[in-house]
Amino acid sequence: MDYKATLEKAADFFSVHSGSGHFWYQRVTAVALVPLSIWLIVLLNKALTAPYADTVEWLSSPLNTLAIIAWTVAVVYHAALGVQVVIEDYVSTIPVRHLAIRATNLIFLVLGVAALLAIIIIFFAR
C-alpha cells in the first residue's frame, strides 16, 4: 500500500480550501464585470476611433483609470478562478494539479501586474 499517495489524496480531500467561497468569488467578480465592461467598451471605442492623444487623455481621468483598473483586477482574478476550476476538474494527478494551479496563478499574477503597470504609466504620462 502506497501511504504517500493515500496521504496526498486525504490532504487534497480534507483541504482547508473553501469551495463555497470560491463559488461566491466567481459570482461576485462576474457581476462586477458587467458594469465595468461598459468602461472597457468605451475605451476600446476610443482606442479604435479617436486619436491616440484623446484616448490617453480619456484614460488619464481618475474615474476612468479607476474603472479600468477595477476591470483589470476583476477579470484577471475571475479568469484565474475559472482556470483553477477547470484544472481541478480535469487533472487527476494531485501533484500535477497543484503544480498546474500554482503555475497558472503565477501567470495570471504576472499578466495582471503588467496590465496594471501599463495603466498606471499611461495615467501618469499626462
Side-chain angles (χ1 to χ4, degrees), residues 43-110:
L43 173 63
L44 291 176
N45 184 36
K46 286 259 186 215
L48 294 175
T49 60
Y52 176 76
D54 291 347
T55 304
V56 171
E57 180 183 334
W58 181 87
L59 192 54
S60 295
S61 163
L63 178 65
N64 294 332
T65 301
L66 286 176
I68 297 302
I69 286 173
W71 182 87
T72 303
V73 169
V75 79
V76 168
Y77 187 60
H78 184 78
L81 290 173
V83 170
Q84 181 177 341
V85 168
V86 171
I87 291 170
E88 287 171 349
D89 288 345
Y90 292 105
V91 178
S92 60
T93 309
I94 293 171
V96 174
R97 179 188 312 162
H98 288 257
L99 179 65
I101 290 171
R102 286 187 180 96
T104 56
N105 284 343
L106 180 64
I107 290 168
F108 280 113
L109 178 67
V110 169

